[in-house]
Amino acid sequence: MATLLLSSTDLHDLPALPTEAVEHGEVFTRRWVVDLILDLLGYTADKDLCAVRLVEPACGTGAFLTAVASRISASCRTHNRPLRDALAAVRALDLLGRNVEQSRAVVEKQLVDEGWPAEEARQVADAWVGQGDYLLQPDADHRADYVVGNPPYIRLEDVPDDRMAAYRSACATMGGRADIYIGFYEVALRSLNPGGRLGFICADRWMRNQYGRRLRQLVTSRFSMDLALVMHDVDAFEDQVSAYPAITIISNRPQGEAVAADTTRAFDSAQAREFAGWYAKDASESVTTTAFQAARMPHWFPDEDSWPAASPARLAVLEELTERFRLLEDTKTGTRVGIGIATGADKVFLTKNDSLVESDRLLPMAMVRDTTSGTLNWNRTYLVNPWTTEGDLVDLSAYPRLAAYFEEHGAALRKRYIAVKQPQRWYKTIDKVDHRLTQRPKLLFPDMKLTIHPVLDEGGLYPHHNLYFIVSDVWDMRVLGGLLLSKVAEAFVEAYAVKMRGGTLRFQAQYLRKIRVPDPEAISESDKAALAEAFEKRDVKAATEAALRVYGLVELPD
């Protein structure tokens, strides 16, 4: 269940949430999914569950509490404890009074059905379940060994301004257009005792999108990401919702082994028990069935910018390569990833007329269309260049034809934001020209492409802003080009990049920088030759075969 929790006692002056926002946040979890989460957490009846504390931030109508009550009942009998010993074992909250009453009722009924006296069962139910705002209470009020549940799905813009401000103040991770569940993760993680564990079923978008970045940073810096079990196609909730859910297990300990897993529509209660059994064995081998596949990795991914999305087997390979190899952009090799020049007025600054202005004010430009064939075929586009080799704007009085051309288009140039900010520099491009880049050999990458597409500029052209480039002080650019032409390099970009309609990938700098590469000096001469030849011939298969050898891989999993 996921309902936003609002306090009935604290911050009484804050406006309540709109009813429709609250209702939209309610998503009820199936019992077998609840049992799976509790099993994955190790919250099992063989343990003395009265000696630990479980918190559910959004209890709804008691889907999790029913299972928790059953397990605590069995634990009390196993450990010869009276039921009253469980009075402080659980703390559950909800926004709606009707949900609080219903949750208490289902807990009481479950305990009575388990054979406990009705009065004791009622006392426990009343002690466990209350009405309150999980996000706004002091951390000490909900210290926990386990936090479980299904946080609410409500966008912050659906929350009244005053309350939204209170949430942002209480939860540093809730930046941008965050969903409320981001705050639930943060508060839950902060509440965990040493060794404590969080188990949520929730939308997994925070693992990759911008508004989840602060939460990823929190997890990466202070916690152990133990499990990400993707359940996008699984019927996990009582109602049909498009929530892109995943079960996430995070521990308050240094990062240890991690499991990446994915499921199919065939994943049900029986398959969930099979997965939980595999997970509990702590076996190192991967597993694939008709309902799920999973891989165990030595660590989770260390970068908070974004976490990759791929099959578990491929994620395990990428994590291994992340452990063994350096990033493509590396000061040791002088390898740098960048983007071409943005002008703010391409219609003015780009031309095919090689006599438009003074010849030394025309800079040959590499455009996306020049790279289509895989070999650079320059279509004779020039930048009308206002920059000196020292990085200063030219004195227009020294270039009368350039001055006349810019004045002819002065109205359009002066309307640009950068010109309004710096009116005396009204004829500058957005980016400054780095003339050293022109003569350097560089690999060019079109921004949008179905597959990775490095193209070599031997030197002489300057890239347009729809092209990303790689330069290096050490790499033979044909060898590096062969490595980056391979499916191994593409796998990194594919795992991190935003996919456009039709499967088109964005080969932007932040994704190219995710690629891991070996030390160029560690590549054998024969493999260097094979990579360079594959690059020259645009032979992706040959490049991939050579790359697999270089990376020490037998294959690249799908």
Side-chain angles (χ1 to χ4, degrees), residues 102-389:
Q102 187 168 347
S103 288
R104 286 173 175 170
V106 298
V107 168
E108 180 180 343
K109 181 180 185 303
Q110 183 65 41
L111 293 174
V112 169
D113 289 347
E114 299 271 355
W116 298 98
E119 181 59 31
E120 291 184 26
R122 187 176 303 111
Q123 289 175 358
V124 168
D126 289 347
W128 284 5
V129 186
Q131 190 170 6
D133 192 327
Y134 184 73
L135 297 186
L136 299 178
Q137 295 178 355
D139 286 355
D141 287 358
H142 41 72
R143 297 302 303 175
D145 301 294
Y146 300 91
V147 181
V148 301
N150 175 7
Y153 306 164
I154 301 175
R155 299 302 294 266
L156 262 180
E157 54 263 35
D158 292 328
V159 178
D161 289 346
D162 289 350
R163 189 166 291 279
M164 177 173 64
Y167 288 154
R168 287 194 189 278
S169 177
C171 305
T173 59
M174 292 177 69
R177 295 167 58 87
D179 194 293
I180 289 291
Y181 71 76
I182 295 292
F184 277 75
Y185 267 102
E186 177 184 342
V187 175
L189 289 171
R190 290 201 318 251
S191 77
L192 289 177
N193 292 323
R197 308 188 80 189
L198 173 151
F200 278 170
I201 180 166
C202 190
D204 66 357
R205 290 304 187 242
W206 69 274
M207 299 185 192
R208 280 166 286 283
N209 62 22
Q210 182 60 33
Y211 73 64
R213 187 178 188 278
R214 295 179 188 174
L215 178 56
R216 292 193 298 272
Q217 186 175 33
L218 175 65
V219 173
T220 300
S221 62
R222 292 179 49 192
F223 298 91
S224 176
M225 183 74 175
D226 296 338
L227 169 66
L229 173 60
V230 176
M231 300 176 67
H232 291 181
D233 297 323
V234 176
D235 188 17
F237 304 113
E238 296 293 345
D239 298 315
Q240 293 296 320
V241 292
S242 298
Y244 303 102
I247 291 175
T248 308
I249 307 295
I250 306 174
S251 297
N252 185 9
R253 61 182 177 90
Q255 180 65 57
E257 286 188 344
V259 169
D262 200 356
T263 57
T264 69
R265 291 183 184 276
F267 194 76
D268 57 16
S269 57
Q271 300 291 339
R273 289 191 295 272
E274 183 179 345
F275 175 78
W278 174 86
Y279 184 76
K281 287 179 183 175
D282 204 26
S284 59
E285 70 274 5
S286 300
V287 60
T288 300
T289 74
T290 57
F292 65 86
Q293 54 178 311
R296 203 176 302 273
M297 305 178 293
H299 303 283
W300 190 250
F301 295 86
D303 195 346
E304 70 272 6
D305 284 344
S306 179
W307 289 340
S311 71
R314 180 166 287 194
L315 283 178
V317 168
L318 294 179
E319 197 278 337
E320 180 195 354
L321 297 182
T322 298
E323 283 283 302
R324 291 198 287 123
F325 296 102
R326 299 172 68 92
L327 289 166
L328 171 63
E329 187 167 76
D330 187 358
T331 55
K332 179 183 175 183
T333 60
T335 304
R336 181 168 64 90
V337 181
I339 187 172
I341 188 170
T343 69
D346 279 358
K347 289 182 179 179
V348 177
F349 284 104
L350 299 184
T351 183
K352 287 184 174 293
N353 183 353
D354 60 5
S355 60
L356 181 68
V357 296
E358 289 83 356
S359 60
D360 65 338
R361 292 296 92 211
L362 292 174
L363 181 64
M365 288 284 291
M367 309 295 290
V368 167
R369 61 179 173 270
D370 302 336
T371 68
T372 303
S373 69
T375 300
L376 194 62
N377 297 306
W378 184 44
N379 284 283
R380 305 192 69 78
T381 300
Y382 296 91
L383 174 74
V384 182
N385 182 15
W387 299 100
T388 69
T389 54

Side-chain angles (χ1 to χ4, degrees), residues 9-22:
T9 56
D10 296 330
L11 297 160
H12 60 276
D13 55 326
L14 291 177
L17 282 178
T19 301
E20 61 271 19
V22 173

Side-chain angles (χ1 to χ4, degrees), residues 1 5 19 21 36 75 113 124-125 156 167 198 283 397-398 433 465 469 502 527 531:
M1 161 62 201
L5 310 181
T19 301
L36 172 60
S75 174
D113 289 347
V124 168
L156 262 180
Y167 288 154
L198 173 151
S397 64
V433 170
H465 71 87
F469 66 84
D527 282 334
L531 288 167

